[in-house]
Every structure is written in C-alpha cells, then in structure tokens.
Amino acid sequence: MTATALFPDDVFIPAGETQAIPLGDIAPWAVFGMLLAMIFLYFVSTEQGALALFDGMYIHEFVHDGRHLLGFPCH
C-alpha cells in the first residue's frame, strides 16, 4: 500500500513564490554578528598575550582550551 492510499483526502497546498530578504534587513544583523565574532576572536587569540586589556590571568584561563582548539599558541 502506498502513502497516497493511506491519506486520500490530503490536498496539496503550493507554497507560492518565495521572496528574498532585502539587504537592508540583513545588514544590521550581519554587522552585529561580525562584531561579536571579532570580540570573541580577540579574547581567544590575543587577550593576556602581547596586548591585554584586563589584568590577571582570568580571561586567559577561561579561554585556554578554546585557544588551543583553534590553534593559537599561548605558552
């Protein structure tokens, strides 16, 4: 028995035409995402290295395993 025989009263409803999302609606979210990615990359790659914004080793220890996972040397 086929699937069409199980549900003979199902009606196909076409989805219609898809519309593209305007670039103006995507751009702010893309900029926000890139900003978050750059902040993340700074803390994983550079913080507590040659350039440090915060004193102590707290941030370095927090992102230590991620730093090695992404291939950044730290010691």
Side-chain angles (χ1 to χ4, degrees):
M1 188 183 306
T2 63
T4 55
L6 293 176
F7 304 106
D9 57 343
D10 284 348
V11 178
F12 175 73
I13 301 172
E17 294 182 24
T18 58
Q19 295 182 4
I21 301 173
L23 184 60
D25 291 346
I26 296 174
W29 290 104
V31 170
F32 178 67
M34 287 301 295
L35 179 65
L36 286 179
M38 294 303 288
I39 290 170
F40 174 77
L41 186 62
Y42 167 76
F43 279 108
V44 170
S45 66
T46 308
E47 184 63 30
Q48 300 306 112
L51 302 171
L53 295 178
F54 302 100
D55 292 333
M57 296 293 289
Y58 298 110
I59 294 174
H60 174 84
E61 293 301 325
F62 184 73
V63 299
H64 187 94
D65 292 338
R67 181 177 295 211
H68 287 297
L69 180 69
L70 295 173
F72 291 104
C74 64
H75 46 89

